[in-house]
Amino acid sequence: MTTNLQTQPDPRVPAPAPALEVRSLVKHYPGVKALDGVDLVVRQHEVLGLAGENGAGKSTLLKALVGLVRPDGGEIWVRGEKVRLRSVVDAADHGIGMVFQEQSLVPNLTAAENIVLGSEGPGVRRGIYRWSTMRRLAQEQLDKIGSHIDPLARTDTLTFADRQMVEIAKVLRIEERTSHPPVIILDEPTSVLESKEIETLFTQVRRLREFASVVFVSHRLDEVLDVCDRVAVLRGGRSVGEVPAADAAPADLHRMMIGSTGSDDHYHGGAGERPDEASRPRLVVRGLSGKSFRDVDLDVHAGEIVGIVGVHGSGREDVCRALFGAEPTTAGEVVLDGEKLDLSGTRAACAAGVGYVPAERKTEGMVGPMSVADNMTLTKQQSRCTGPLVRPRKQATLVDRWIERLSIRTPHRGTAIQSLSGGNQQKVVLARWLVAGDVRLLLLDHPTRGLDVGARSEVYRLMRELADSGVATVLLADSLEEAIGMSDRIIVMSDGRATTQVAAPAGGKPTPLDLVKEMV
C-alpha cells in the first residue's frame, strides 16, 4: 500500500503545463474557413497523432504552429506561455521544428549546409564555411537516424527518400538550438520511405519522446496508431475528438474523420472485363535501357493496369519517366498501338497520347500560383481556345463540369491550385488527362502519395474508370498492398532489370510476401 501511495501524483503539486496548446484557432482564406475554432493539446514527452481528411485543416494548423501562417483568431501557448509565432525562426526559438511533407531543402546546397542552415554555429568563422566542422555537425544528426548519406553530397543529387532523411536530420538540430524540451512536428514523414527506413524513423520518434514532444501526421492510420500515444482528429476545420491510440483501430479513426466506416474494398476487384491477353498489347517495350535501368521488357494491354514494384534504386521510377520522354534512354524500342513512340521529350509523348502523373506533385505536376482552371487545361490548350484566342466561357464550362464530376473541393475555378488540399490538387492533375480526352497510355507515379483514405478512394475510382474506357495504365504504387489491389499484373524490378512478372487477377491476388521475395 505504501508503495502505491508513493507513486500517486501529489495533488498539491500543479501538473506540468502542456508542451504546446492551441485554443480556438481560426484561419480564413478567400471563400474558405480553413480553421474554425481548433483546440489541441500536446503533452510533454508524448507522441500526438493528428488525423483528418485532406482539406480538414491539418496543413494550415501545422503552418500556424511553425510561423508560416498567422491565425485570424485564437491563441497558441508554449509551455504555459502565450506566444505569437511570426516566422519559422521565431517558432524554432520557442523549440518548435517541423519536417515538411513538401520538402523545404535548398537543392543546390549540400546536405550538410541544409542540415545546419540558420544554426551554423562553429561551422562558420568570419563568414567562411569550415567544411570539416560543417560535416561533423551534420554527421551527428544523420547518425541519430542511422542514415549513410554523404553530408557533402549536393541535395539535388539525392533521391526523394534520402532528401526526406535530410529533412528529419535538419529538424533534429533544434535540440542544440533551444534549452527547452522541443516540439517536433512530422508531417507525412513516411510517405516515400521503405519499410526498413520507416522502422528506423519510428525508433527515432520513440527516442525523441524521452526529451521532447512529437506531433505525428500521416494518412496511414495504422502508422499513427503504432507510434502515437493519443490521436486527435480534425474534420472540416474543427476538432472532432481524440482517442488513446491503444484503444483505437483504423476504422475508428476513419469514422471520426468522415463519419463512416472505412473499408479497403476501394481496390480494383476486376469488376470489368479483363483485357484480352491474346490481342496485341497497346504498349510494347523491348530492351529499354537508361542510366539506372537496362534491357526492360514490358507489355500493357488496353484497359489493363500493370503495377511495377521494387525497392529504392530498382529503376522503376526512371523507367516510368523515360516512357514519358522525361528521362534519356540509351537503347531499346517503345511501340504504342503499333507505332514507334518518340521518346525525345515530354511534348512528343503528350502528342502521342501519353499522360503522366509525377510523384512530386508540387514541383512537377502543377503550377502552384495558376488557377485550377488553367492547371486543368494546361496540356490541351485547344480545350479552352478557338484558334489562337482563349475563350474563357468555353474553358469555364469544361472545367466546371469536371470539378462537379470529380467532387473537387475548391471555392472557384479561378482559385490558385496551391491553396487546395493535396487530395484536391491530385484530382486536378488527373483531370488534366481526362480533359485531354485522347490519352491512350497513363503513367502514374505514386498517385496517392500523401492522400488520406477518402481521397485515395477517389483516385482509385478514377483509375478504374480510365481502365474501363480502354486506357492502358502503368502504376508505381504507394505500397505493395495498393499495387496488388489495383493491378491486373505486376512487374518486379531489381537492380535496374525487370526480373519477374506476377499475375494479379481478381480472386487470385499474390501476397506482399510473394513480391518481397522477388524484390530482394
Side-chain angles (χ1 to χ4, degrees):
M1 175 67 77
T2 303
T3 302
N4 290 338
L5 287 174
Q6 290 177 341
T7 61
Q8 298 301 313
D10 188 339
R12 296 170 296 179
V13 178
L20 179 67
E21 186 175 3
V22 171
R23 301 177 183 176
S24 303
L25 213 63
V26 175
K27 179 62 184 178
H28 297 271
Y29 291 110
V32 178
K33 199 169 189 178
L35 299 178
D36 189 8
V38 169
D39 297 314
L40 188 75
V41 174
V42 183
R43 299 168 186 157
Q44 294 191 25
H45 305 293
E46 79 162 346
V47 181
L48 176 72
L50 184 61
E53 283 195 286
N54 290 100
K58 301 191 304 296
S59 294
T60 303
L61 174 60
L62 299 184
K63 289 176 181 177
L65 295 178
V66 292
L68 287 174
V69 165
R70 295 194 181 182
D72 299 317
E75 301 173 348
I76 299 175
W77 292 68
V78 179
R79 293 179 295 277
E81 176 189 357
K82 184 179 176 180
V83 300
R84 295 183 65 185
L85 305 176
R86 298 177 176 85
S87 66
V88 173
V89 173
D90 197 12
D93 288 340
H94 284 87
I96 303 173
M98 179 171 168
V99 175
F100 293 87
Q101 176 184 355
E102 306 297 341
Q103 296 176 341
S104 61
L105 303 178
V106 182
N108 62 336
L109 298 183
T110 64
E113 289 173 284
N114 272 288
I115 290 171
V116 303
L117 191 62
S119 58
E120 290 86 354
V124 175
R125 176 178 290 178
R126 296 177 182 175
I128 299 175
Y129 279 156
R130 302 171 65 192
W131 286 105
S132 60
T133 304
M134 291 273 285
R135 179 170 189 150
R136 176 179 58 79
L137 293 173
Q139 190 65 58
E140 289 174 358
Q141 308 308 317
L142 293 168
D143 288 343
K144 292 178 182 178
I145 53 176
S147 174
H148 299 292
I149 297 168
D150 181 359
L152 298 185
R154 272 179 55 120
T155 304
D156 55 7
T157 66
L158 302 176
T159 65
F160 194 97
D162 283 344
R163 295 201 302 272
Q164 187 76 324
M165 300 305 280
V166 173
E167 286 273 16
I168 295 168
K170 175 183 176 181
V171 81
L172 291 181
R173 280 279 293 169
I174 203 169
E175 294 180 52
E176 284 76 28
R177 188 184 182 100
T178 176
S179 60
H180 301 294
V183 177
I184 307 297
I185 300 172
L186 303 176
D187 185 14
E188 300 285 359
T190 64
S191 60
V192 297
L193 304 184
E194 299 290 345
S195 57
K196 183 178 179 180
E197 294 168 319
I198 290 173
E199 279 304 313
T200 299
L201 174 63
F202 282 6
T203 299
Q204 181 64 15
V205 170
R206 295 180 181 109
R207 186 193 74 84
L208 286 173
R209 185 197 281 118
E210 298 175 4
F211 62 90
S213 300
V214 179
V215 179
F216 184 91
V217 182
S218 175
H219 68 279
R220 298 171 178 172
L221 300 182
D222 55 337
E223 291 183 355
V224 173
L225 295 173
D226 182 26
V227 78
C228 296
D229 301 301
R230 289 184 301 127
V231 185
V233 179
L234 300 184
R235 184 172 71 232
R238 294 175 177 266
S239 306
V240 296
E242 63 177 50
V243 293
D247 299 336
D252 299 323
L253 296 182
H254 188 249
R255 183 165 52 249
M256 294 175 67
M257 289 163 55
I258 67 173
S260 62
T261 303
S263 170
D264 286 335
D265 292 340
H266 43 243
Y267 284 140
H268 186 42
E273 292 284 330
R274 263 190 67 78
D276 181 7
E277 296 185 0
S279 65
R280 184 176 68 180
R282 164 156 283 180
L283 174 72
V284 178
V285 179
R286 293 291 180 267
L288 194 66
S289 299
K291 183 178 179 180
S292 63
F293 58 91
R294 57 196 182 282
D295 298 327
V296 172
D297 293 340
L298 175 67
D299 293 343
V300 186
H301 292 76
E304 184 180 31
I305 299 176
V306 174
I308 304 180
V309 301
V311 300
H312 286 301
S314 64
R316 60 178 186 146
E317 288 86 0
D318 291 333
V319 168
C320 191
R321 293 174 65 84
L323 293 174
F324 190 60
E327 186 83 14
T329 58
T330 57
E333 184 178 64
V334 179
V335 174
L336 185 64
D337 283 335
E339 297 183 1
K340 186 175 180 180
L341 184 63
D342 183 357
L343 300 180
S344 61
T346 58
R347 180 171 296 184
C350 288
V354 181
Y356 175 56
V357 175
E360 300 193 39
R361 177 174 61 245
K362 294 278 188 182
T363 57
E364 296 185 339
M366 67 187 211
V367 184
M370 288 177 60
S371 69
V372 169
D374 288 342
N375 270 277
M376 194 180 292
T377 55
L378 195 59
T379 303
K380 227 42 173 176
Q381 293 296 323
Q382 58 264 41
S383 64
R384 61 174 180 166
C385 298
T386 300
L389 301 177
V390 174
R391 300 297 184 188
R393 186 172 298 177
K394 179 180 180 181
Q395 182 188 42
T397 301
L398 178 67
V399 170
D400 286 347
R401 183 167 74 245
W402 282 107
I403 287 175
E404 180 179 3
R405 181 174 174 184
L406 301 183
S407 301
I408 297 173
R409 297 178 186 174
T410 178
H412 189 264
R413 77 180 82 91
T415 300
I417 191 174
Q418 65 190 5
S419 68
L420 304 188
S421 68
N424 287 296
Q425 290 172 353
Q426 192 71 316
K427 288 183 187 179
V428 174
V429 173
L430 278 165
R432 179 182 303 151
W433 305 110
L434 299 172
V435 167
D438 58 357
V439 173
R440 295 180 288 169
L441 171 66
L442 185 59
L443 309 168
L444 301 177
D445 188 353
H446 294 82
T448 63
R449 173 175 291 167
L451 305 188
D452 62 63
V453 177
R456 290 204 306 271
S457 296
E458 287 294 312
V459 172
Y460 298 148
R461 179 179 62 82
L462 291 176
M463 289 173 60
R464 288 195 295 270
E465 287 184 7
L466 288 165
D468 290 343
S469 70
V471 174
T473 303
V474 174
L475 170 65
L476 307 189
D478 201 42
S479 66
L480 290 179
E481 289 79 7
E482 183 177 271
I484 293 167
M486 289 301 298
S487 302
D488 298 302
R489 284 186 297 118
I490 298 173
I491 306 298
V492 179
M493 286 194 66
S494 178
D495 296 326
R497 294 179 179 271
T499 57
T500 309
Q501 177 175 287
V502 180
K509 298 286 188 180
T511 67
L513 183 59
D514 294 333
L515 299 181
V516 169
K517 290 178 180 177
E518 302 296 336
M519 290 164 57
V520 300

